[in-house]
Each structure stands twice: as structure tokens, then as C-alpha cells.
Amino acid sequence: MKLSIGNIYVKDVVLGEANGFAGGVLTIDKQAAIDYLMGEDDHITSLDIVIAHPGDDTRIVPVIEIVEPRVRTDGRCLFPGVTDELVPAGDGELKAFKGCCITSVGGTYGSFGDGVIDMGGEGAKFTYWSQLINICLVGETDEEFEYHEQQKCNHAMRWAAHRLAEYVGKIATDVEVEDTETYVFDPVLKRSAERNALPNVAIVLQPQSQMEAMGYNDLIYGWDMNHFVPTFVSPTEILDGCLISGSFMPSSSKWATYEMQNFPTIKELFAEDGKTLNFVGVILSNLNVALDQKERSAIMVRNIALNLGVDYAIVTEEGYGNPDADYVRCQVILEDAGIPVVGISNECTGRDGMSQPLVTLDEKMTALVSTGNVSELCELPACKTVIGNLEAMNRDGMSGSWGYDEKLGKSGRDDGSIIMEDNNWFCGDHIAGYSVKTMLEV
């Protein structure tokens, strides 16, 4: 399978009365975009589009989803089973607007899985998103049954982000690209002797799929990952929109759809493919609740890896807590099968950093990459502008903030300053590989 992504670099985004791209400036017809989105989903009651630039004294909260705007040159939809009918993903040509993103924001209500982005100041250091021009889609919906629920599907606003990414991406249809990324995934059984002489490496992805109720989990080709069992997939499928983010999981631990579209660890494996390793693909697994489900998935991952002839594996999870059991068990069963593993995840070591980092550990896990401690406290001054609703931090059970603490008060203070755990940075641990954090050995 061959996937080509032509990159168009965006220097600025402005709102106007016609769509266009010239001189590095992306112009979006604001009213036409809003009319299109509201016509696609009756549950959306109001929408606004606001642009936030890197360095702006702006705080965005509650952030629901982030997507990269793209277009397929063959006319196929960006997200099969979501923005249009089911079609294959993983090959063909795309164009992508780089340097910007579609950011879905709750106009009033937040959720456990929603988070914060600061575009400037000290807070900008905590996420990759502050480096991008955020095309913020701020909306209200009639999903009243979710208003006072900690866990929200945020269905209308999440899918609106995917539709807007496709709408904006179509502006690139006749725009000349500046450079092209090409990813070729050759059939595993039809590779040269030279390739086969290199170590076989696979990456095991564990997207979020814990919720038994539908509408919260990640989707593959529009299908809820709770119904999924471990499967071999081409890495080009992941980069081409077959997998999209859900609403469940502490905010900093999530993979935004943007990260799935650009999965940095997958791209690094492609960069080394045929040089230092033979990249034999993605084993797409899941995260479960019951122990027998966890064990079943681990066994299936092991057997796929053995049948692919995997020599080394990377295992990475979306989330922490209960998913740690899936993450650890998968690594241990691969190690027992003679396949050395590197694990990538964040950790929850408490505000003092002294607690056990994962819910469960095993001495066979000898190579772990940490993308940060979700429990570390962060205190920041007010920003001049808030896009969304700061009160959501206090009211709606967001994963790293609270309405009252006898020592710390509330997370979103009356003067606009905030105190929260790193949990609350939207996809802030960037487990897919964008991590902005480093480790200090003391």
C-alpha cells in the first residue's frame, strides 16, 4: 500500500466571505462553514468559529477534539464510516494543511475527557497544540441528557470537527503542495531478502475501547472499538483516517484524531524501515475491563506477532489506570514469547511523583518510555481571552480539575487564573509521540 501526503504550509488563517488559499493564508468562509455543519446535524443549536494563534494570550477550554484538515484527491472521504460511506483507507493521495488544526470546543459544558490548551505564556509549553493555528469550532448542542453527566459522548461536536476538517481540507484541492510525504508498506510476505534480514519490528496500538455503552470509544471505519478484537492493519490505514478519537479517558492521556493522522512513532518506524529494521506493521489491539477480556486480547496480540515473525515490538496505550493492566499484560506475554518490548505511556505517580507509576507492574518490563506524570500540579495566571467556558473546569468533572478543594480552592478561579493537574492538558502527554516533556534524572 502506498500513501502520499502532499503538505501545504499555512502561515495564517483568516475568516472571510469566500474559501481560498493564497500566499500561505488560508481563508475560510465562516458563515458557509457554519451553515454546512448545522445542516449536517440537527443536534447542534449554535456554532461559532474563532481563530487562536501561537503566542496569543488565550486559553481554550473545554477542548473536545482536534483534527487536521485534509482532502483526498480521488474524492474519497477523509474518515470512512464517519464523514461519509465506508471506503478503503491506507492508499492513494492526500493533501494536508500543515501548521493548523480544527479544534472542537464546548461553548458551555465540558466532560471528563475534555481539556485545556494555552496558546501563550508558560502554559503553551505543556502541549503541542500551542504551536499550531487553532481553528476553534465553539458550539452548543441539544444533548441535554449529557449536560450534567461527567462522561459525555460529545457526539455532535466531535463529528462536527471531522466534518469541518473535511470542509476546510477541500480548499486544498487545486492548491500546489510544497512537499510530499510518501509511505510505502510492502506486502509482508513479498519483501526482498535484504529487508527480511533486518529485525522485524511491529507496533501494538491500544486505542480506547473500555466503555460498554456505545458512543464514547474510538472508532475504526466508524465501528466502535469496544466490538473490536486485535487485528493486523497497515500503518498507512492509521495515517489515512481509519481510526478516530473518542470522548472517554482522562484528557492528557487521549490520542486526538490529529495524532492518529500523524502518529509520530509510526512515521519514525517508516523512516527506519529498510535501513535498521523491517517494519512489519501495526497490531491494532484494544483496552478492556474484565480480566478474561484482557487476557484474550493479549493472547491474540501474541499470536499475531509470532505469526508475523516479530523480533521486537513497541506497545503503547491510550490512557492509564484500568488500561495499564492491558498494557502491562501485553508486554509481558510478548516478552514470554521471546519478543523484547519497549512500552510507551504516561504515568500516574501522584502530585509528589512518589507513587507507583502504573496500576500494575512486572519485572519483565525493562524498557519503558514515560511521557509524563498526569498528577503533577500546574498553576497559571489568567489569560486575556478565554475561548469556551472556564467554569467547565469547576462544574463538569474534567479529569484534572475540580470545583472545590479545602486547600487549593477551585480550579478555575474568579480572577481567571487556574490550578489543575497535568491530567487536564488536552492530549498533553502526546503518547503517540509528540510529547513535549523530558525526564530529569536526580
Side-chain angles (χ1 to χ4, degrees):
M1 301 178 79
K2 180 179 178 180
L3 181 69
S4 296
I5 305 174
N7 295 320
I8 301 164
Y9 294 91
V10 176
K11 298 176 182 177
D12 198 6
V13 180
V14 297
L15 301 176
E17 296 181 354
N19 294 322
F21 184 83
V25 179
L26 173 62
T27 302
I28 301 170
D29 185 333
K30 176 178 175 177
Q31 193 57 53
I34 290 173
D35 290 345
Y36 162 69
L37 294 171
M38 294 192 71
E40 288 291 309
D41 195 328
D42 293 339
H43 291 290
I44 299 174
T45 57
S46 69
L47 282 179
D48 192 13
I49 298 176
V50 184
I51 309 300
H53 294 85
D56 286 354
D57 189 12
T58 296
R59 179 163 290 143
I60 311 172
V61 58
V63 179
I64 295 168
E65 167 69 301
I66 293 183
V67 190
E68 183 171 77
R70 294 176 169 185
V71 64
R72 290 198 60 103
T73 58
D74 61 7
R76 280 186 280 175
C77 66
L78 280 185
F79 305 105
V82 176
T83 53
D84 209 333
E85 63 186 36
L86 280 167
V87 292
D91 56 4
E93 296 181 358
L94 293 163
K95 290 183 179 181
F97 280 126
K98 310 303 288 190
C100 65
C101 59
I102 305 299
T103 304
S104 181
V105 186
T108 301
Y109 293 97
S111 174
F112 179 70
D114 301 343
V116 178
I117 298 170
D118 275 9
M119 296 301 295
E122 187 70 18
K125 299 177 182 180
F126 286 86
T127 73
Y128 172 75
W129 315 119
S130 63
Q131 303 173 40
L132 304 177
I133 301 169
N134 282 242
I135 304 165
C136 298
L137 181 65
V138 188
E140 306 279 3
T141 76
D142 66 0
E143 298 162 312
E144 296 182 16
F145 60 94
E146 290 186 343
Y147 283 0
H148 303 291
E149 294 292 328
Q150 186 182 36
Q151 297 288 355
K152 297 179 176 65
C153 291
N154 286 328
H155 180 274
M157 288 303 298
R158 283 195 296 117
W159 284 37
H162 296 94
R163 292 189 178 108
L164 183 58
E166 194 166 69
Y167 176 89
V168 172
K170 288 179 180 177
I171 300 171
T173 300
D174 297 320
V175 177
E176 187 174 345
V177 303
E178 297 179 48
D179 59 51
T180 301
E181 303 171 33
T182 300
Y183 301 98
V184 178
F185 188 71
D186 295 320
V188 177
L189 297 180
K190 295 183 178 181
R191 297 187 175 181
S192 67
E194 292 77 15
R195 286 277 295 280
N196 288 331
L198 296 170
N200 295 329
V201 178
I203 183 168
V204 180
L205 305 185
Q206 296 178 310
Q208 188 48 235
S209 54
Q210 286 179 281
M211 291 291 281
E212 298 287 340
M214 298 297 98
Y216 299 90
N217 299 305
D218 294 359
L219 300 178
I220 181 165
Y221 289 101
W223 196 36
D224 195 293
M225 286 288 296
N226 185 260
H227 297 318
F228 192 77
V229 295
T231 303
F232 168 83
V233 301
S234 168
T236 58
E237 290 179 84
I238 305 298
L239 299 179
D240 192 23
C242 81
L243 187 66
I244 70 168
S245 179
S247 66
F248 176 68
M249 210 60 238
S251 182
S252 70
S253 305
K254 290 171 61 176
W255 296 336
T257 296
Y258 183 106
E259 292 178 285
M260 298 172 184
Q261 293 172 289
N262 292 279
F263 217 98
T265 308
I266 288 177
K267 289 188 175 183
E268 185 65 22
L269 288 167
F270 266 121
E272 293 299 316
D273 188 29
K275 300 175 183 176
T276 62
L277 56 86
N278 185 25
F279 185 21
V280 295
V282 174
I283 302 174
L284 191 61
S285 187
N286 52 358
L287 297 167
N288 304 282
V289 177
L291 287 174
D292 64 326
Q293 295 170 348
K294 296 175 186 292
E295 187 64 21
R296 185 179 298 111
S297 290
I299 290 169
M300 296 179 76
V301 168
R302 168 192 179 273
N303 291 345
I304 293 171
L306 287 174
N307 283 292
L308 280 173
V310 173
D311 296 309
Y312 300 93
I314 297 171
V315 176
T316 183
E317 65 172 335
E318 182 186 8
Y320 72 93
N322 189 295
D324 290 346
D326 304 76
Y327 172 65
V328 170
R329 182 60 189 137
C330 187
Q331 293 182 62
V332 171
I333 202 169
L334 289 172
E335 291 278 357
D336 285 342
I339 302 172
V341 176
V342 173
I344 306 174
S345 73
N346 57 15
E347 55 185 293
C348 184
T349 56
R351 292 177 181 175
D352 60 1
M354 301 299 290
S355 298
Q356 181 170 304
L358 302 172
V359 166
T360 182
L361 291 169
D362 193 286
E363 61 185 10
K364 295 174 183 175
M365 299 165 61
T366 58
L368 295 177
V369 176
S370 170
T371 63
N373 173 19
V374 302
S375 302
E376 188 169 338
L377 277 176
C378 184
E379 187 171 7
L380 292 165
C383 290
K384 180 180 179 181
T385 301
V386 173
I387 298 175
N389 185 352
L390 192 68
E391 183 59 28
M393 297 180 67
N394 303 326
R395 182 192 59 226
D396 297 330
M398 293 168 63
S399 51
S401 58
W402 51 87
Y404 173 74
D405 182 279
E406 62 182 11
K407 293 183 179 180
L408 302 175
K410 59 184 180 181
S411 285
R413 296 167 175 157
D414 294 339
D415 64 0
S417 64
I418 62 172
I419 185 167
M420 65 182 195
E421 292 182 342
D422 278 1
N423 251 324
N424 231 37
W425 294 112
F426 183 74
C427 298
D429 293 324
H430 297 297
I431 301 167
Y434 276 122
S435 184
V436 294
K437 300 175 184 178
T438 58
M439 298 295 291
L440 176 66
E441 185 175 348
V442 295

